[in-house]
Amino acid sequence: MKRGYYLENKLKQIIKKMIKNSATYHKQISLGLLLGLLVGCASSKRVIYFQDEEEQQINETLLNYESTIQPGDILFINVTAIEAEAAVPFNIYDSPGGINIVPLPYIVNVDGEINFPVLGKIIVAQMTTKQLTNKLTELLLPYLKNPVINIRLDNFKITVLGEVRLPGSYPVFNERISIIEAIGLAGDLTIYGKRKSVILIREQNGKRTFTSIDLTNKELFNSPYFYLAQNDVIYVEPNNTKVNSSVVGPNTSAIIASLSILITLVAILIR
């Protein structure tokens, strides 16, 4: 009985000592928070885009950038001419019952070819739509007077994943989009995204490449990866803060709440 009374008094003395020293402890916490804020300000360079203040010369190659056709691409090609009937054999349509005429797409095969009416197989891989338009115009001149060719790449899309606000796949209708515009479509990076090592995944000519891109460096504007190719994937890695937060388990909040109640009760008991 005496031993239990002694232990109870000893516990009260320890808790009183902890409370007495709490002012010093709180000062230490405040100092730590202040230092943390200062460190946070000093590390803002990890968040800001395009930090170099020097002027950037526009790369002429990038200024005239056009995406190229790849195996697996889907093309819509429409041929017209002064004599409309003469152009009909050079188009492919799906007309069930002869009512609604629907143009059919051309799918670029693994050899980079399409099978064009009358003309036969044509290699189109690695060509821009402008180059293919010029080539078809030249090939059709013996058959048509003043042929007009319209080409649309139907499967141009990019995908943005990881630490962005709106991850997903986005169709591109003008066949030209920069990595900055793509990130803008996805709602920009979250505060937890790594700005210095955004991964660009590109598949071209049967090869898949992984390229690290630094969004804080203005040299990005002259990078060959500034403009995206169809089916490019952008992955924004989480920073250390986000990774470390994943260690926190689902029961952490309940444990903290329980400890808070316990401390409150102990404080009341020893008053």
Side-chain angles (χ1 to χ4, degrees):
M1 188 73 176
K2 288 183 179 179
R3 182 175 177 82
Y5 179 76
Y6 171 78
L7 289 174
E8 183 179 349
N9 282 339
K10 192 69 174 176
L11 180 60
K12 286 182 178 180
Q13 290 174 7
I14 292 172
I15 293 174
K16 284 181 179 179
K17 187 175 181 181
M18 291 172 64
I19 293 173
K20 184 178 179 181
N21 295 332
S22 63
T24 303
Y25 179 66
H26 289 159
K27 288 180 181 178
Q28 291 174 347
I29 291 177
S30 300
L31 181 60
L33 290 172
L34 180 60
L35 289 173
L37 288 172
L38 291 173
V39 171
C41 293
S43 63
S44 63
K45 286 189 175 182
R46 294 189 296 179
V47 179
I48 299 173
Y49 299 152
F50 323 130
Q51 295 172 29
D52 187 1
E53 295 180 358
E54 294 182 3
E55 291 185 3
Q56 288 287 319
Q57 297 294 327
I58 298 177
N59 188 318
E60 290 186 11
T61 302
L62 290 178
L63 193 62
N64 301 314
Y65 173 84
E66 291 182 83
S67 60
T68 57
I69 299 168
Q70 303 295 325
D73 281 349
I74 301 172
L75 302 172
F76 278 94
I77 304 175
N78 179 253
V79 179
T80 58
I82 295 176
E83 297 179 4
E85 291 185 0
V88 171
F90 299 96
N91 293 283
I92 53 175
Y93 298 103
D94 182 16
S95 53
I99 303 175
N100 296 321
I101 297 178
V102 180
L104 292 176
Y106 295 84
I107 300 177
V108 183
N109 65 22
V110 293
D111 296 320
E113 302 171 331
I114 59 171
N115 195 5
F116 200 83
V118 182
L119 301 179
K121 291 183 178 179
I122 300 174
I123 297 175
V124 298
Q126 303 305 318
M127 299 179 70
T128 66
T129 53
K130 182 179 180 180
Q131 289 170 336
L132 180 55
T133 298
N134 293 336
K135 181 174 183 176
L136 286 176
T137 300
E138 183 181 348
L139 292 173
L140 289 172
L141 279 175
Y143 303 93
L144 300 172
K145 185 177 181 180
N146 298 325
V148 176
I149 295 96
N150 290 300
I151 302 175
R152 175 167 57 88
L153 182 60
D154 196 56
N155 66 317
F156 198 124
K157 73 176 189 306
I158 51 93
T159 301
V160 188
L161 301 174
E163 285 300 326
V164 291
R165 300 184 192 283
L166 300 169
S169 294
Y170 296 89
V172 180
F173 300 105
N174 63 357
E175 300 178 17
R176 172 165 158 160
I177 185 172
S178 70
I179 188 171
I180 305 303
E181 293 170 311
I183 290 172
L185 285 175
D188 201 1
L189 275 65
T190 69
I191 196 65
Y192 300 110
K194 285 185 178 181
R195 270 71 175 163
K196 287 181 171 289
S197 57
V198 172
I199 306 300
L200 173 63
I201 305 169
R202 175 171 295 177
E203 189 167 342
Q204 207 165 25
N205 300 325
K207 295 180 181 179
R208 185 176 292 113
T209 59
F210 296 78
T211 305
S212 180
I213 294 174
D214 184 356
L215 295 180
T216 67
N217 193 333
K218 279 187 179 178
E219 285 301 318
L220 169 63
F221 289 94
N222 285 324
S223 165
Y225 300 101
F226 180 70
Y227 285 108
L228 302 179
Q230 58 267 44
N231 303 317
D232 274 358
V233 176
I234 300 168
Y235 174 61
V236 181
E237 295 183 86
N239 59 22
N240 291 335
T241 302
K242 184 61 178 288
V243 173
N244 292 337
S245 69
S246 66
V247 178
V248 178
N251 298 322
T252 302
S253 297
I255 293 171
I256 292 173
S258 300
L259 287 173
S260 178
I261 293 171
L262 181 60
I263 291 170
T264 302
L265 288 173
V266 171
I268 292 171
L269 288 173
I270 64 175
R271 282 181 180 177

